[in-house]
Amino acid sequence: MAYSFEQHKIVGAIAADDEYWRGLEDGVFKLPRCAACKNWTWPAHFRCGKCGSWDFEWVALEPKGRIFTWTRTQYAFDRVLERKEDVPYVTVIAEIPEANGARVMGILKGDESGLRIGANVRGAIDPPSAKSKWYPAIRWIIER
Protein backbone atom coordinates (compact mmCIF):
# COMPACT_ATOMS: atom_id res chain seq x y z
CA MET A 1 0.00 0.00 0.00
CA ALA A 2 1.27 3.47 -0.82
CA TYR A 3 0.78 5.69 2.20
CA SER A 4 -0.16 9.32 1.69
CA PHE A 5 2.32 10.69 4.25
CA GLU A 6 5.18 8.88 2.47
CA GLN A 7 4.40 10.82 -0.70
CA HIS A 8 4.39 14.14 1.24
CA LYS A 9 7.25 13.72 3.72
CA ILE A 10 7.92 16.69 5.96
CA VAL A 11 11.42 18.04 5.36
CA GLY A 12 13.78 17.15 8.18
CA ALA A 13 11.87 14.11 9.44
CA ILE A 14 14.14 11.27 10.61
CA ALA A 15 11.61 8.54 9.72
CA ALA A 16 11.82 6.77 13.10
CA ASP A 17 8.08 7.43 13.48
CA ASP A 18 7.00 6.19 10.03
CA GLU A 19 5.26 3.17 11.58
CA TYR A 20 3.17 5.53 13.73
CA TRP A 21 1.89 7.33 10.61
CA ARG A 22 1.34 4.03 8.76
CA GLY A 23 -0.70 2.79 11.71
CA LEU A 24 -2.85 5.92 11.84
CA GLU A 25 -3.43 5.76 8.10
CA ASP A 26 -4.60 2.15 8.60
CA GLY A 27 -6.85 3.33 11.46
CA VAL A 28 -4.66 1.89 14.24
CA PHE A 29 -2.99 3.84 17.07
CA LYS A 30 0.47 2.32 17.70
CA LEU A 31 3.47 3.38 19.78
CA PRO A 32 6.98 1.91 19.91
CA ARG A 33 8.30 -0.22 22.74
CA CYS A 34 11.82 -1.58 23.03
CA ALA A 35 11.81 -5.28 22.17
CA ALA A 36 14.61 -5.92 24.70
CA CYS A 37 13.74 -3.98 27.86
CA LYS A 38 10.07 -3.10 27.06
CA ASN A 39 10.67 0.63 27.62
CA TRP A 40 8.17 2.84 25.74
CA THR A 41 9.92 5.39 23.53
CA TRP A 42 7.95 8.40 22.32
CA PRO A 43 8.78 10.41 20.31
CA ALA A 44 10.10 7.49 18.31
CA HIS A 45 13.85 6.91 17.97
CA PHE A 46 15.93 4.28 16.22
CA ARG A 47 17.67 3.22 19.45
CA CYS A 48 16.36 2.65 22.97
CA GLY A 49 17.56 5.33 25.37
CA LYS A 50 17.35 2.95 28.31
CA CYS A 51 19.19 -0.21 27.16
CA GLY A 52 20.66 0.75 23.77
CA SER A 53 18.78 -1.86 21.74
CA TRP A 54 18.01 -1.13 18.09
CA ASP A 55 14.93 -3.38 18.07
CA PHE A 56 11.46 -1.95 18.58
CA GLU A 57 8.00 -3.44 18.44
CA TRP A 58 5.06 -1.27 17.47
CA VAL A 59 2.18 -2.04 19.80
CA ALA A 60 -1.45 -1.28 18.95
CA LEU A 61 -3.06 0.57 21.86
CA GLU A 62 -6.47 1.94 22.73
CA PRO A 63 -6.12 5.69 22.04
CA LYS A 64 -7.12 6.73 25.55
CA GLY A 65 -5.42 8.98 28.01
CA ARG A 66 -5.52 12.11 30.15
CA ILE A 67 -4.76 15.68 29.19
CA PHE A 68 -1.23 16.52 30.32
CA THR A 69 -1.37 20.05 28.90
CA TRP A 70 -3.10 22.06 26.19
CA THR A 71 -2.85 25.35 24.37
CA ARG A 72 -5.18 27.44 22.21
CA THR A 73 -3.88 28.74 18.89
CA GLN A 74 -5.25 32.19 18.08
CA TYR A 75 -3.17 32.93 14.99
CA ALA A 76 -2.71 31.14 11.65
CA PHE A 77 1.06 30.66 11.51
CA ASP A 78 2.70 30.51 8.09
CA ARG A 79 3.65 26.81 8.41
CA VAL A 80 0.03 25.78 9.09
CA LEU A 81 -2.02 28.15 6.95
CA GLU A 82 -4.18 25.15 6.04
CA ARG A 83 -5.75 25.55 9.51
CA LYS A 84 -6.53 29.27 9.29
CA GLU A 85 -10.30 28.70 9.07
CA ASP A 86 -10.08 26.61 12.29
CA VAL A 87 -8.54 29.41 14.38
CA PRO A 88 -8.90 29.39 17.29
CA TYR A 89 -8.21 25.68 17.89
CA VAL A 90 -6.86 23.71 20.83
CA THR A 91 -3.80 21.46 20.73
CA VAL A 92 -3.76 18.74 23.39
CA ILE A 93 -0.92 16.64 24.71
CA ALA A 94 -2.40 13.46 26.14
CA GLU A 95 -0.60 11.04 28.45
CA ILE A 96 -1.23 7.42 27.52
CA PRO A 97 -1.22 5.32 30.74
CA GLU A 98 -1.04 2.05 28.81
CA ALA A 99 2.29 3.25 27.32
CA ASN A 100 3.83 4.28 30.65
CA GLY A 101 2.65 7.87 30.29
CA ALA A 102 3.95 8.51 26.75
CA ARG A 103 2.69 11.93 25.66
CA VAL A 104 1.03 12.24 22.26
CA MET A 105 -0.01 15.53 20.65
CA GLY A 106 -3.19 16.08 18.66
CA ILE A 107 -5.88 18.66 17.99
CA LEU A 108 -9.02 18.75 20.16
CA LYS A 109 -12.13 17.47 18.38
CA GLY A 110 -15.50 18.72 19.60
CA ASP A 111 -16.38 21.43 22.05
CA GLU A 112 -14.13 22.64 24.83
CA SER A 113 -16.46 22.04 27.78
CA GLY A 114 -14.55 19.96 30.29
CA LEU A 115 -11.18 21.05 28.90
CA ARG A 116 -8.77 20.82 31.82
CA ILE A 117 -5.52 19.16 32.76
CA GLY A 118 -6.29 15.61 33.87
CA ALA A 119 -9.48 15.27 31.81
CA ASN A 120 -9.92 11.87 30.18
CA VAL A 121 -9.69 11.83 26.39
CA ARG A 122 -10.05 9.26 23.65
CA GLY A 123 -8.51 9.48 20.24
CA ALA A 124 -10.22 9.58 16.88
CA ILE A 125 -8.14 9.10 13.76
CA ASP A 126 -8.67 11.45 10.83
CA PRO A 127 -7.49 10.29 7.40
CA PRO A 128 -4.85 12.26 5.50
CA SER A 129 -6.04 15.54 4.01
CA ALA A 130 -4.69 18.79 2.61
CA LYS A 131 -5.37 20.38 6.03
CA SER A 132 -3.05 17.86 7.70
CA LYS A 133 -0.38 18.15 4.97
CA TRP A 134 -1.41 14.64 3.83
CA TYR A 135 -0.57 12.99 7.13
CA PRO A 136 -3.24 11.11 9.12
CA ALA A 137 -4.05 12.78 12.45
CA ILE A 138 -5.01 11.79 15.97
CA ARG A 139 -7.72 14.06 17.37
CA TRP A 140 -8.52 14.04 21.09
CA ILE A 141 -12.14 14.03 22.31
CA ILE A 142 -12.95 14.86 25.92
CA GLU A 143 -14.82 12.01 27.59
CA ARG A 144 -17.80 13.09 29.59
Side-chain angles (χ1 to χ4, degrees):
M1 172 178 176
Y3 290 96
S4 180
F5 83 92
E6 290 175 336
Q7 298 165 18
H8 300 88
K9 284 273 189 166
I10 294 173
V11 176
I14 66 167
D17 60 358
D18 280 0
E19 192 59 31
Y20 172 75
W21 301 112
R22 284 185 196 105
L24 287 184
E25 201 158 332
D26 288 337
V28 181
F29 178 69
K30 296 192 285 186
L31 292 177
R33 182 172 62 186
C34 177
C37 73
K38 305 301 183 196
N39 184 54
W40 293 93
T41 301
W42 191 253
H45 298 282
F46 289 112
R47 193 164 187 203
C48 178
K50 186 172 181 182
C51 77
S53 173
W54 293 87
D55 297 320
F56 284 90
E57 54 193 7
W58 284 82
V59 181
L61 301 167
E62 191 72 32
K64 291 182 142 197
R66 288 182 302 276
I67 295 176
F68 173 75
T69 192
W70 62 271
T71 187
R72 183 175 292 108
T73 297
Q74 302 281 1
Y75 177 77
F77 295 96
D78 63 343
R79 298 278 292 186
V80 287
L81 287 177
E82 296 86 351
R83 292 200 171 280
K84 69 181 171 187
E85 75 247 12
D86 298 338
V87 172
Y89 60 88
V90 172
T91 302
V92 169
I93 296 180
E95 280 187 323
I96 313 301
E98 195 177 357
N100 199 33
R103 296 174 183 154
V104 180
M105 184 171 62
I107 302 298
L108 181 68
K109 184 174 189 169
D111 76 60
E112 296 180 21
S113 61
L115 179 62
R116 62 175 175 74
I117 292 173
N120 291 324
V121 290
R122 64 181 163 78
I125 300 170
D126 288 351
S129 69
K131 185 179 283 192
S132 66
K133 297 188 182 283
W134 302 107
Y135 276 68
I138 187 86
R139 305 255 320 232
W140 297 111
I141 301 165
I142 298 170
E143 292 191 322
R144 313 244 182 257

